[in-house]
Amino acid sequence: MSEHILFLTGRLAEKQLHGILEKMQPEFTYTVHELGLKVAALMTADMIARRLTDTFGADRILVPGRCRGDLEALSKDLGLPVERGPEELKDLPMFFGQAAHKIDLNRYNVKIFAEIVDAPNISVEEALKRAHYYKHNGADVIDIGCLPSTDFPQMEDIIRALKQEGFTVSIDSLEANDLLRGGKAGADYMLSLHESTLWIADEVAATPILIPKKHEDLASLDRAIEAMQAKNRDFIVDPILDPLHFGFTQSIVRYHEVRKNHPGVEMMLGVGNITELTHADTMGMNALLLGICSELNINSILATQVSKHACRAVKEADLARRIMFAAKEHQMLPKHIDPGLMALHEPSPFPYSLEEIKELAAQIKDPSYRVQISSEGVHIFNRDGLHSATDPFDLFPKLHVENDGGHAFYLGVELARAEIAWQLGKRYSQDQALQWGCATDNEESTVDLHTFKPAGTTLKKH
């Protein structure tokens, strides 16, 4: 017997909800019930408890995504599950598709080494501060970077302080003395050894990361691998990722060749040579590089956040590794798993056409302004009419808010958001901040729907 779902909605959305469900032709049966209010977004759990007198034989109830209140308590009172649907009705088909394929993003198999590149120039306290920041954003190992010809008297103190606070630590240098000092101070890993410096691994317990003596010299890397295997020591191999136009493509070929020749060895990819040295948004770069890691079974990356444009590199890599793990595990493309790596664009930026917006505008009987976008531009409407433009300044003379500073300010903010969303191809929802994925720390996305916030200006009576 198929599931029966009760959809609760408002008067303005009722017709559209019926149309969407009819087009979906779902396997479940359903009832659409208008709860006696105009705007579905203003629905609350308390309102449902007061007004809903019949559950129409439903197995569960779906309420608007912005419905506020304690749905768990409401579920207990009604004796059946009450759940929030998507914020936009047009997302219902995707909502039910995702519900059928819930993806777990708690799992990953790539360690992130986050480098403090200027460690010799900072205090122990600052190193600890950065380490906690990197760990908060997903780092598994804190990499202590040494600088050429730069004294580093506080190295041991930094490593010991990090270890005392539970961090896994690596020391990063091509100088033998730095690596020896770091290993003796308790570093768990050391970057990097080649065949001429393998003797350092005999002096300390730290796990070495092996590199070719010269970037293109894979024979030297093969010899270093054989030497470490003969000693039965753990190690990680890094064939070195080169920047674009300085050997990038050939370095990808190197990684593939090393994996082919050594199918079981642990490998590292230094993603910073691309994210730091390419002036483009880093989210896409991290997605692609972690996808390469997933295909080649590379289980460690070295990430840096030096350039200002790479200021979220660790956070982005953390989400990318989870998405790629899930995609590989489920044998699916890395699509529709999580939107966090899409800062500038979205799969479906304009859920409503201009004709649908016109139809909605014709139903409005109050003076409050609604703002929506379509592929044609920005639209604002109330009972007095619909106005459209691609430049919000063209709308101001038609709004008649010259003598209402607060309302004018509010509409300016909303129309600016709408214009940005229209230009970039992003979702716009009135009274909601634009979503920038993991590029920002967006508090709006973590609002507790058990609590209530005041209605937006357009939802208040004037």
Side-chain angles (χ1 to χ4, degrees), residues 6-72:
L6 172 60
F7 292 85
L8 299 182
T9 189
R11 286 193 297 277
L12 291 177
E14 183 179 10
K15 179 181 176 181
Q16 188 179 44
L17 177 55
H18 273 292
I20 290 171
L21 288 168
E22 287 171 8
K23 288 181 180 179
M24 282 175 57
Q25 298 183 332
E27 296 181 358
F28 56 82
T29 59
Y30 61 87
T31 298
V32 174
H33 179 62
E34 191 266 295
L35 201 61
L37 75 165
K38 183 184 294 184
V39 182
L42 295 182
M43 193 179 298
T44 69
D46 290 342
M47 185 185 297
I48 296 169
R50 293 194 308 269
R51 298 187 182 187
L52 187 63
T53 58
D54 186 351
T55 58
F56 303 91
D59 298 299
R60 61 171 165 149
I61 298 174
L62 207 67
V63 302
R66 294 178 192 143
C67 177
R68 300 277 167 169
D70 189 347
L71 296 190
E72 186 175 340

Side-chain angles (χ1 to χ4, degrees), residues 25 126 157 240 242 288 373 390 422 426:
Q25 298 183 332
E126 176 62 22
D157 291 336
I240 306 296
D242 290 318
L288 183 59
I373 62 173
T390 56
W422 173 72
K426 294 185 63 62

Side-chain angles (χ1 to χ4, degrees), residues 179-233:
L179 295 173
L180 284 170
R181 287 174 59 199
K184 290 177 180 178
D188 302 279
Y189 298 91
M190 51 185 172
L191 291 73
S192 301
L193 304 185
H194 51 74
E195 64 173 340
S196 296
T197 56
L198 289 183
W199 60 270
I200 298 173
D202 296 329
E203 303 293 323
V204 294
T207 299
I209 283 73
L210 307 181
I211 61 174
K213 194 165 186 179
K214 294 181 179 180
H215 286 200
E216 67 279 2
D217 186 4
L218 288 187
S220 72
L221 185 60
D222 290 338
R223 291 190 292 270
I225 291 171
E226 292 171 4
M228 294 304 295
Q229 288 174 332
K231 296 177 182 180
N232 200 27
R233 284 285 303 272

Side-chain angles (χ1 to χ4, degrees), residues 327-397:
K328 186 174 184 178
E329 182 179 47
H330 293 279
Q331 296 184 321
M332 61 187 291
L333 294 170
K335 296 178 65 177
H336 303 303
I337 294 175
D338 186 275
L341 294 178
M342 299 190 71
L344 299 184
H345 314 293
E346 298 190 37
S348 180
F350 309 121
Y352 302 102
S353 68
L354 178 55
E355 291 305 312
E356 290 172 314
I357 293 171
K358 287 179 178 178
E359 185 178 346
L360 173 61
Q363 302 178 55
I364 301 301
K365 306 300 181 185
D366 62 69
S368 298
Y369 281 112
R370 279 80 171 174
V371 181
Q372 288 188 281
I373 62 173
S374 72
S375 58
E376 286 85 354
V378 178
H379 314 287
I380 185 167
F381 53 92
N382 65 0
R383 67 184 178 188
D384 299 319
L386 168 69
H387 306 289
S388 301
T390 56
D391 183 348
F393 283 100
D394 294 340
L395 297 170
F396 181 73

Side-chain angles (χ1 to χ4, degrees), residues 128 131-132 135 140 142 161-169 188:
L128 287 170
H132 281 288
K135 184 176 181 179
D140 303 285
I142 304 303
L162 288 169
K163 294 297 295 180
Q164 286 174 1
E165 295 206 14
F167 288 97
T168 303
V169 181
D188 302 279

Side-chain angles (χ1 to χ4, degrees), residues 52-312:
L52 187 63
T53 58
D54 186 351
T55 58
F56 303 91
D59 298 299
R60 61 171 165 149
I61 298 174
L62 207 67
V63 302
R66 294 178 192 143
C67 177
R68 300 277 167 169
D70 189 347
L71 296 190
E72 186 175 340
L74 181 63
S75 298
K76 291 180 180 178
D77 291 342
L78 294 175
L80 71 163
V82 182
E83 303 170 4
R84 290 182 179 86
E87 292 193 358
E88 295 288 352
L89 283 179
K90 281 295 188 73
D91 291 333
L92 268 177
M94 185 180 296
F95 173 82
F96 279 100
Q98 289 176 336
H101 302 91
K102 289 185 178 179
I103 302 296
D104 179 13
L105 289 181
N106 290 317
R107 301 170 62 202
Y108 57 87
N109 57 8
V110 175
K111 286 180 181 169
I112 297 176
F113 287 61
E115 183 180 1
I116 302 176
V117 296
D118 58 344
N121 296 331
I122 65 175
S123 66
V124 174
E125 292 73 20
E126 176 62 22
L128 287 170
K129 180 180 177 181
R130 292 196 202 177
H132 281 288
Y133 172 77
Y134 285 146
K135 184 176 181 179
H136 174 74
N137 283 284
D140 303 285
V141 181
I142 304 303
D143 185 56
I144 304 303
C146 300
L147 296 172
S149 304
T150 303
D151 291 337
F152 195 176
Q154 74 276 33
M155 177 203 290
E156 287 84 354
D157 291 336
I158 287 177
I159 293 174
R160 292 186 188 115
L162 288 169
K163 294 297 295 180
Q164 286 174 1
E165 295 206 14
F167 288 97
T168 303
V169 181
S170 60
I171 184 68
D172 193 337
S173 177
L174 291 176
E175 297 293 330
N177 188 53
D178 291 336
L179 295 173
L180 284 170
R181 287 174 59 199
K184 290 177 180 178
D188 302 279
Y189 298 91
M190 51 185 172
L191 291 73
S192 301
L193 304 185
H194 51 74
E195 64 173 340
S196 296
T197 56
L198 289 183
W199 60 270
I200 298 173
D202 296 329
E203 303 293 323
V204 294
T207 299
I209 283 73
L210 307 181
I211 61 174
K213 194 165 186 179
K214 294 181 179 180
H215 286 200
E216 67 279 2
D217 186 4
L218 288 187
S220 72
L221 185 60
D222 290 338
R223 291 190 292 270
I225 291 171
E226 292 171 4
M228 294 304 295
Q229 288 174 332
K231 296 177 182 180
N232 200 27
R233 284 285 303 272
D234 290 334
F235 60 92
I236 299 173
V237 176
D238 181 1
I240 306 296
L241 184 68
D242 290 318
L244 285 161
H245 293 135
F246 289 87
F248 169 74
T249 303
Q250 187 56 42
S251 65
I252 294 295
V253 173
R254 274 203 306 272
Y255 275 90
H256 183 269
E257 187 172 347
V258 171
R259 174 50 74 215
K260 183 176 66 175
N261 294 336
H262 303 280
V265 303
E266 288 292 319
M267 291 177 68
M268 171 179 280
L269 185 74
V271 298
N273 276 351
I274 300 301
T275 56
E276 294 282 351
L277 303 178
T278 309
H279 270 177
D281 291 323
T282 53
M283 282 190 180
M285 288 186 264
N286 271 310
L288 183 59
L289 291 168
L290 268 297
I292 291 172
C293 288
S294 182
E295 287 201 350
L296 295 180
N297 294 321
I298 296 171
N299 291 332
S300 297
I301 65 168
L302 178 63
T304 55
Q305 292 189 181
V306 181
S307 300
K308 299 299 183 184
H309 79 280
C311 62
R312 292 286 193 279

